[in-house]
Amino acid sequence: MFRFEEPAILYLLILVAPLLACFYIYLYRKHRNIRKLGDQNLILSLMPDYSKGKNNLKFYCILCAFILLVFTLANPQMGTKVKKVDRKGIDLMIALDISESMNCQDIQPSRLMRSKQSIIRLLEKLQNDRIGLVVFAGDAFVQLPLTSDYGAAKLFINNINTSDMSVQGTAIGAAINLCTQSFDPQSANKKNKAIIVISDGENHEDNAMDAAAKASSNNIIVNTIGMGLPQGGPIPIYVNGQIQGYKRDKEDHIILTKLNENMLQEIAQAGNGSYVSANNSSAGVETIFEKLNKLDKTTHDSRNISDYESQFQYILFGALLLLIIDLLLFEKKNKIFNYQHLFGVKRP
C-alpha cells in the first residue's frame, strides 16, 4: 500500500505551472531583446562562452528539486506492517446530579452547566480511558455505559437536563451503587476504577456513605465534587427556556439551596477518595484528574493497526543531488562539455 502522510502539502505543486510560465516569459523577452540588437547569430558569435543549454538545465534542476522537496515534505509511505497495540487506561464512572437544585445560578452559568463543562474538560484530558455516566435525582439510571468513544460521551452530556428526571431528590447512594455495578466484574481485583460524584449534596435520600464504603471494598475509589456555594441561591423555574420565577415553600418564601460540603466530604472519605469544591473560578477537574492519573493503567482491549514505513529519504536524496548539480553548473561553457556537444552547438 502507498500513501502520503501529509497529502495537503501536495497542493504546493500548483506553483510549478506559474514557475514554468515565468521562465518561458523570461526566455521570450531575453530572445526579443537580443533580436533588437541585431542579427541573433552574429550576437551569439560575440559571446562564445554563452551556453543556452546550461541556463535551461540549471532552471530544470531547481524546478525538479522543488517538486521532489514537496513530495519529501508530504512524506510518502509504503509497505504496511500490522502490529498489535494494547490500549491501557482506567475505567471511570461519573454520577451527575440533575435534580432541580442544580439549576441554581450561584455558580455561573448554573450548577448543572458548570458540571457539564467540567466533565467535557475532563474528557479532553483522558487518553485510552473508558468513561461512563449515571444521572440521578430521586432515582438513578445509566445514561452512558463505559465507552472510549469520547465524541458520543460529549453528545450525551450536552443533552442532559434537569427535566430528564421526574422523581426529585438526591439519591447519591443509588447512583454510587449503579456506578459500581457498571464496572466489568472481571476487573474486581484491579485498582483501575474510580467514581466521581458531582452534586450539591442536598436532600440525599439514602445512606451514600455505606454505598461509597462498599465501592471502596471493591477497589473502586469514590471522589466527590461539590457544585455550589455555601451561601447558596434560589432555584429558578424555567418556562420555554426562560426564568419565570423561583421555587417557593408553603409559606411563599423563596427556597434557598446550599452546598452540603460535610456530606460530600464524608462520602469521599468513606470511598477512600478526595473531595473538591467547585466555585466560579475553578471546577475542581484538575485536582481530580491528578488523582485519577495515579491509578493503575490496565489493558482494555487490543487491536491491530497498520504501520506505514516512510520513504521520503530516497526522494530527498534525489532533490539534494539535483541541487548539487545546479551548484556545479556554471553559466559559461565548459571546454569538455562544449567539445562533446552536450550543451548547445559547438562554436569555434
Side-chain angles (χ1 to χ4, degrees):
M1 294 181 66
F2 178 84
R3 72 168 190 177
F4 287 100
E5 186 178 18
E6 301 292 342
I9 294 179
L10 295 176
Y11 284 112
L12 291 174
L13 294 175
I14 297 174
L15 297 175
V16 172
L19 288 174
L20 281 171
C22 291
F23 179 67
Y24 287 124
I25 291 173
Y26 161 76
L27 290 179
Y28 170 77
R29 290 182 176 179
K30 184 176 181 180
H31 293 159
R32 184 184 62 183
N33 292 334
I34 291 176
R35 287 195 298 269
K36 287 181 179 178
L37 295 175
D39 182 72
Q40 185 174 0
N41 292 329
L42 177 62
I43 294 173
L44 290 176
S45 67
L46 298 175
M47 299 184 294
D49 292 332
Y50 171 74
S51 174
K52 175 183 176 182
K54 274 191 176 183
N55 288 331
N56 292 349
L57 182 60
K58 285 175 68 66
F59 170 77
Y60 288 118
C61 281
I62 294 176
L63 183 65
C64 291
F66 169 76
I67 294 172
L68 292 179
L69 286 174
V70 170
F71 283 119
T72 299
L73 292 174
N75 192 16
Q77 296 178 323
M78 186 182 296
T80 307
K81 94 181 150 177
V82 179
K83 62 180 181 180
K84 187 176 181 181
V85 176
D86 294 333
R87 300 185 61 184
K88 293 185 177 181
I90 66 171
D91 286 343
L92 175 65
M93 289 296 300
I94 295 179
L96 177 61
D97 186 352
I98 60 170
S99 59
E100 290 181 347
S101 61
M102 292 294 285
N103 286 328
C104 178
Q105 297 178 341
D106 55 347
I107 291 183
Q108 295 296 322
S110 71
R111 294 177 182 178
L112 181 59
M113 286 299 297
R114 177 57 72 88
S115 300
K116 291 160 67 172
Q117 293 169 1
S118 300
I119 298 172
I120 291 176
R121 196 177 308 165
L122 179 62
L123 282 173
E124 293 171 351
K125 294 177 176 291
L126 298 179
Q127 292 182 347
N128 296 326
D129 304 304
R130 294 191 299 180
I131 188 169
L133 180 65
V134 168
V135 294
F136 67 94
D139 199 358
F141 67 90
V142 177
Q143 180 80 3
L144 178 70
L146 281 171
T147 180
S148 56
D149 187 347
Y150 298 153
K154 288 181 181 179
L155 183 63
F156 276 97
I157 291 165
N158 286 324
N159 291 326
I160 292 174
N161 199 288
T162 55
S163 60
D164 295 340
M165 190 70 72
S166 58
V167 181
Q168 288 301 307
T170 310
I172 298 179
I176 294 176
N177 287 331
L178 194 54
C179 287
T180 303
Q181 297 167 12
S182 299
F183 291 111
D184 187 354
Q186 297 180 353
S187 65
N189 297 324
K190 298 178 181 178
K191 297 181 179 180
N192 69 319
K193 302 177 291 297
I195 296 172
I196 300 178
V197 177
I198 304 178
S199 173
D200 54 23
E202 274 209 331
N203 302 324
H204 56 284
E205 307 292 330
D206 45 25
N207 196 332
M209 277 69 78
D210 287 347
K214 182 180 178 182
S216 179
S217 66
N218 290 318
N219 295 316
I220 302 171
I221 296 176
V222 181
N223 301 288
T224 56
I225 297 179
M227 279 291 167
L229 300 178
Q231 61 269 30
I235 303 173
I237 299 174
Y238 288 94
V239 177
N240 295 326
Q242 300 294 325
I243 297 179
Q244 300 298 322
Y246 296 93
K247 290 195 69 174
R248 296 175 178 269
D249 58 19
K250 295 179 180 180
E251 299 177 355
D252 202 34
H253 296 147
I254 294 178
I255 300 173
L256 294 180
T257 171
K258 298 179 181 181
L259 172 65
N260 189 345
E261 283 192 298
N262 291 334
M263 191 198 71
L264 293 172
Q265 289 172 348
E266 291 174 359
I267 294 173
Q269 185 176 3
N272 196 28
S274 302
Y275 165 75
V276 179
S277 177
N279 50 50
N280 282 310
S281 61
S282 173
V285 175
E286 289 75 14
T287 303
I288 293 296
F289 179 73
E290 291 177 3
K291 301 286 184 182
L292 296 176
N293 242 358
K294 296 178 181 179
L295 294 177
D296 295 338
K297 306 285 185 179
T298 59
T299 301
H300 289 148
D301 55 22
S302 299
R303 61 178 60 184
N304 293 326
I305 64 171
S306 297
D307 187 24
Y308 293 85
E309 295 182 357
S310 297
Q311 308 293 332
F312 71 91
Q313 57 271 18
Y314 304 107
I315 301 178
L316 180 60
F317 175 78
L320 293 176
L321 183 62
L322 288 172
L323 292 175
I324 292 173
I325 293 174
D326 174 71
L327 290 174
L328 295 178
L329 284 176
F330 297 98
E331 292 186 0
K332 292 183 178 181
K333 288 183 179 180
N334 180 279
K335 291 183 179 181
I336 298 176
F337 290 152
N338 186 45
Y339 178 80
Q340 295 178 351
H341 301 266
L342 294 179
F343 301 104
V345 180
K346 178 183 175 183
R347 301 181 185 279

